[in-house]
Amino acid sequence: MDNVNFNLNDEVTIRSASIDLHPETSRADDSKTPWTDGMASDAPDTPYAGMPKEVLLRFSSQMRYRVVRETLFWLIVVAMVALVVAPIAIIVLSPRCLDWWQMSPIYQVYPLSFKDSDGDGKGDLRGIWSKLDYFEELNIKSIWINPIYKSPMKDSGYDISNFMEIDPIFGTMEDFEDLLTSIHDRGMKLIMDYVPNHSSNEHEWFEKSRKRENAHKDYYMWRNCISEGNNTIPPNNWVSKFGGSAWTYDDLRKQCYFHQFSPEQPDLNFTNPEVFKEAEKTVIHYDDLYHDYTTTQLGLHDVIREWRALLNKKSGEAGKYRLMITESYDNSEIKKTMMYYGTNLQYEADFPFNFLLVDDQSNISVAAISKLLDIWMSNMPKDRWPNWVLGNHDNPRVASNVGPTYARTLNMLLLTLPGTATTYYGEELGMTNLNDSNDEDESRHSHKTLDQPMPDRNGERSPMQWDNSTNGGFSTANETWIPVNQNYKTLNVQVEKDQSSSMLTLYRKLTKLHQSELPMQRGWTCFFDNPQVVAFVRETDGLNRCFIVVLNFGDMQVNVNLTRMHIALHGQATVRISIDGTRDDESINLQSVTLLVGEGMVLEYRNSQPIHDNPGPQKKCYSTEKACYVPMLGILLKC
Ligand code: NOJ
């Protein structure tokens, strides 16, 4: 039947027509024919049910169905391809997320001095635990605590007699685990101080080594020397970092052992150096020698790579990255320091501590600070992460070195530079060293001995100043392990918390800015070459605003024309953070920025063109974890 008039509204006709088209099928097995299955000829019609292929094809080839069908088909294909491609594209185009150690300053806690929980005058783990809110108030995500392992405390815990136990001064392993859990519960991380160079002379390895017990015989660096009565003629002229010979005679083994630091800290033998010929020289100071046999030894970086590999192994899960920071005493030799970053093929530390801003605080000037910034940034391997330190447990406090004014300026610098900042506890308050008038008290507690002077670093280790109650709220003991600085009555957390112009308020504003503003976290830093001020811009590609940091490290008031520093700088900017809070939100004409001695400002500026794009002769730009912001999507992409 060729002339059936196919009409959508004519299902019955079509059906009948279909039967006629296949009379043999219909006859052979009428009941199995799908479109007549079980139906009497006068059964009610079901639209399209059982439509034969030919009929279906006639319909489906009509344009209106074809268009719909093909459109749907391609839509589905495109959607499926997009589903596969989009995540891949996002992964490929997204910049690396900043890791936990890149997101906030590292706050250094010297545990003996932070908070005493049991009234024995010494800070402990439960004390730190009781102050976890404080870290949150400071917008701190990473806490570093100095060694808390079992130790005779000859070098405040850096002389470790058991690397696997907690020293009872600080508490128990349970206290440590509770502290760690609470830190993690708050989304923070704990950085432990690992000291592989040496052990305590009370470590069982050393005891065994002294007795030449087989396995431990060469754990330390033993050399023959001559001992006559109280006199020792050491194998050579090497001097320890803490002064005096780096060799001490051991009566039991009848040899001398090497110690980079105090005699109570025998160096572990990570290498097996040859016997060196004794050089005849009278050397008194550590710095009088080249330490080419005693530091940065051949194979040192192999050892560090092994540690890196070990940490990588433990870094498997997301968010569990194990950070490695190294501390070395070759700060002045920048190339040596940079080697701790490793190479692009073989990473070592995430960063070596940058002590440039610690080492030369006697020399504060625009030129000196600019030079230090340049040394680190221009020597750091490409695409690595910078870091900055102002003070630690081994150096007089920054506020004592440079005075309260520049201490603020330096903190503003520290917290606005690219990379990770490290804050030694109390620096956020402007804490000072135990002053000289406290000396009598101090020496009572100092570790000095006649034969081997241990440097006295208690000045910078005095207890944290929490409030103006007894012992500055650090401890309820009658006597604390070292005295609390008497300025605690006015210089403490409680007082400064409520002062809009305090150092603590400044610190909190700066860490908050870092936490909330993309340009402060990643992207470009352009340093301007200006004799009057230290000035730099932080910007992220794609954002039409940036931050300009201007700091007066000079010794007189200055008036700077910032528009001269870059073509894109003109008009007004808003003061986001001023050094004492008094100029916050002020609108500033970039042509005329006046800064008092030590004054600093973070300006927010809407720029029409990127600063880093148009390098002039007066500026140097560096990128760290560069990423491009896409305003329409509100996401970051690689660029
Ligand atoms: C480095 C530490 O920072 C310092 O305090 C300690 O005295 C030496 N290592 C020796 O362990």
Side-chain angles (χ1 to χ4, degrees):
M1 188 172 170
D2 291 330
N3 300 332
V4 178
N5 182 15
F6 291 109
N7 179 330
L8 249 193
N9 300 320
D10 261 332
E11 289 96 344
V12 179
T13 319
I14 296 166
R15 261 171 195 279
S16 335
S18 306
I19 294 167
D20 288 349
L21 278 170
H22 302 279
E24 46 318 298
T25 319
S26 175
R27 266 195 307 273
D29 189 0
D30 209 31
S31 65
K32 285 189 187 153
T33 308
W35 60 94
T36 58
D37 193 10
M39 284 168 65
S41 59
D42 57 351
D45 296 325
T46 311
Y48 297 107
M51 185 187 286
K53 193 174 162 195
E54 290 77 359
V55 180
L56 187 65
L57 283 176
R58 296 281 293 267
F59 270 102
S60 62
S61 55
Q62 284 179 10
M63 186 59 106
R64 54 180 160 173
Y65 296 118
R66 240 184 47 217
V67 169
V68 171
R69 191 178 62 244
E70 285 182 9
T71 308
L72 284 175
F73 171 78
W74 285 113
L75 274 179
I76 291 170
V77 170
V78 169
M80 290 182 64
V81 171
L83 273 179
V84 176
V85 170
I88 297 177
I90 288 176
I91 292 169
V92 172
L93 295 177
S94 292
R96 206 182 71 84
C97 287
L98 292 189
D99 224 315
W100 56 266
W101 48 276
Q102 300 175 302
M103 293 299 289
S104 88
I106 292 171
Y107 188 93
Q108 182 189 348
V109 168
Y110 189 70
L112 267 180
S113 294
F114 198 62
K115 175 72 186 162
D116 172 18
S117 74
D118 57 7
D120 66 354
K122 296 174 185 133
D124 47 43
L125 292 170
R126 293 248 160 241
I128 300 173
W129 180 80
S130 71
K131 291 292 181 189
L132 290 184
D133 284 347
Y134 182 60
F135 301 113
E136 291 199 39
E137 284 162 24
L138 294 182
N139 307 305
I140 293 293
K141 297 265 174 236
S142 316
I143 306 165
W144 156 32
I145 46 177
N146 288 104
I148 47 166
Y149 316 100
K150 194 151 194 324
S151 162
M153 296 290 158
K154 293 284 166 25
D155 183 15
S156 304
Y158 278 96
D159 48 322
I160 298 165
S161 55
N162 189 329
F163 289 90
M164 315 291 277
E165 278 180 26
I166 303 291
D167 196 279
I169 289 184
F170 300 116
T172 62
M173 187 60 86
E174 206 188 335
D175 295 336
F176 173 71
E177 281 166 3
D178 287 349
L179 174 67
L180 186 64
T181 309
S182 302
I183 287 177
H184 286 169
D185 284 349
R186 288 169 186 251
M188 299 189 280
K189 300 281 184 187
L190 182 66
I191 299 175
M192 302 288 289
D193 208 325
Y194 175 51
V195 192
N197 302 49
H198 44 251
S199 71
S200 154
N201 59 345
E202 293 183 25
H203 196 293
E204 66 161 327
W205 296 340
F206 190 68
E207 287 303 322
K208 289 181 173 167
S209 199
R210 293 178 69 205
K211 294 182 199 144
R212 297 177 194 259
E213 284 189 14
N214 261 342
H216 296 89
K217 197 168 131 230
D218 294 326
Y219 263 42
Y220 296 85
M221 302 170 71
W222 295 101
R223 291 291 178 275
N224 289 334
C225 57
I226 300 163
S227 169
E228 287 162 352
N230 280 339
N231 280 339
T232 300
I233 303 175
N236 58 28
N237 64 344
W238 294 350
V239 181
S240 100
K241 181 82 189 165
F242 289 167
S245 173
W247 297 97
T248 291
Y249 181 71
D250 180 67
D251 230 1
L252 194 61
R253 180 152 165 158
K254 310 273 183 237
Q255 274 188 311
C256 280
Y257 61 89
F258 174 77
H259 47 89
Q260 185 82 254
F261 297 92
S262 78
E264 290 87 4
Q265 293 165 298
D267 267 49
L268 283 156
N269 182 15
F270 278 100
T271 59
N272 198 358
E274 293 167 29
V275 180
F276 301 112
K277 222 177 158 210
E278 183 180 332
E280 278 298 324
K281 246 207 244 168
T282 310
V283 181
I284 298 173
H285 295 296
Y286 191 79
D287 293 340
D288 292 341
L289 286 176
Y290 289 118
H291 299 279
D292 45 357
Y293 293 118
T294 56
T295 64
T296 321
Q297 288 302 277
L298 195 67
L300 166 73
H301 289 275
D302 294 331
V303 175
I304 293 179
R305 283 171 194 175
E306 277 177 40
W307 279 323
R308 172 82 271 166
L310 181 68
L311 292 182
N312 284 350
K313 233 196 268 149
K314 307 259 176 199
S315 294
E317 287 167 53
K320 286 266 169 80
Y321 181 74
R322 267 35 178 194
L323 163 76
M324 192 208 291
I325 308 173
T326 51
E327 174 181 324
S328 71
Y329 281 92
D330 31 38
N331 325 330
S332 51
E333 294 171 71
I334 193 69
K335 299 259 184 265
K336 268 191 182 177
T337 305
M338 292 299 169
M339 284 174 72
Y340 290 87
Y341 273 112
T343 64
N344 279 345
L345 292 178
Q346 178 75 69
Y347 274 28
E348 294 180 22
D350 293 285
F351 53 78
F353 265 140
N354 171 358
F355 292 139
L356 292 175
L357 288 172
V358 179
D359 285 346
D360 208 6
Q361 293 179 354
S362 57
N363 181 15
I364 298 287
S365 69
V366 174
I369 300 284
S370 303
K371 186 167 165 213
L372 296 182
L373 302 182
D374 186 54
I375 291 179
W376 193 271
M377 294 308 290
S378 59
N379 281 287
M380 188 179 70
K382 194 167 174 300
D383 293 333
R384 298 306 298 272
W385 186 253
N387 80 101
W388 311 91
V389 183
L390 282 186
N392 63 17
H393 58 292
D394 291 330
N395 292 282
R397 283 189 175 274
V398 58
S400 293
N401 281 345
V402 303
T405 304
Y406 286 136
R408 277 174 184 253
T409 333
L410 280 170
N411 268 288
M412 190 174 253
L413 173 70
L414 179 87
L415 297 168
T416 49
L417 283 170
T420 298
T422 298
T423 294
Y424 182 50
Y425 77 95
E427 265 169 22
E428 73 281 16
L429 304 174
M431 264 176 69
T432 55
N433 268 34
L434 276 174
N435 58 37
D436 293 340
S437 57
N438 274 336
D439 269 353
E440 200 188 301
D441 259 354
E442 263 185 78
S443 54
R444 183 159 44 85
H445 297 273
S446 107
H447 299 303
K448 275 185 186 164
T449 58
L450 278 180
D451 47 344
Q452 291 292 343
M454 179 77 81
D456 190 348
R457 292 162 291 177
N458 287 351
E460 59 265 23
R461 296 176 178 186
S462 67
M464 177 70 173
Q465 297 166 202
W466 293 104
D467 53 40
N468 55 14
S469 65
T470 319
N471 295 324
F474 160 68
S475 169
T476 52
N478 289 335
E479 194 180 34
T480 53
W481 79 280
I482 49 172
V484 179
N485 195 316
Q486 284 311 300
N487 61 13
Y488 78 85
K489 288 178 189 120
T490 50
L491 200 160
N492 63 56
V493 174
Q494 197 185 41
V495 165
E496 292 199 22
K497 227 172 162 174
D498 300 326
Q499 283 173 352
S500 61
S501 62
S502 71
M503 177 93 176
L504 181 58
T505 303
L506 171 68
Y507 187 90
R508 287 171 63 183
K509 281 189 210 164
L510 288 165
T511 52
K512 186 81 204 159
L513 184 80
H514 186 276
Q515 194 182 58
S516 54
E517 293 289 355
L518 207 48
M520 302 307 290
Q521 295 165 8
R522 62 194 312 166
W524 292 94
T525 311
C526 293
F527 295 93
F528 295 107
D529 190 9
N530 186 302
Q532 289 178 293
V533 284
V534 169
F536 54 94
V537 163
R538 302 290 314 269
E539 69 176 344
T540 303
D541 288 277
L543 273 182
N544 60 352
R545 60 198 181 86
C546 62
F547 292 95
I548 310 170
V549 182
V550 226
L551 305 155
N552 181 4
F553 281 107
D555 51 10
M556 51 190 194
Q557 178 178 321
V558 289
N559 182 273
V560 211
N561 182 349
L562 293 180
T563 65
R564 292 226 181 101
M565 297 205 272
H566 195 272
I567 190 161
L569 297 179
H570 44 77
Q572 304 285 123
T574 309
V575 179
R576 186 71 184 261
I577 302 178
S578 58
I579 204 90
D580 57 2
T582 53
R583 297 180 73 179
D584 291 7
D585 301 326
E586 202 177 289
S587 177
I588 294 250
N589 184 340
L590 292 183
Q591 264 183 340
S592 170
V593 180
T594 304
L595 296 161
L596 302 174
V597 174
E599 189 173 359
M601 289 193 275
V602 182
L603 307 174
E604 188 172 340
Y605 178 65
R606 296 209 162 266
N607 48 330
S608 45
Q609 54 175 293
I611 309 291
H612 67 269
D613 257 11
N614 182 4
Q618 305 171 320
K619 98 176 144 51
K620 275 193 189 161
C621 295
Y622 301 90
S623 70
T624 35
E625 297 285 356
K626 190 158 62 104
C628 282
Y629 182 70
V630 186
M632 260 171 50
L633 302 175
I635 58 169
L636 276 180
L637 292 181
K638 266 188 197 148
C639 50

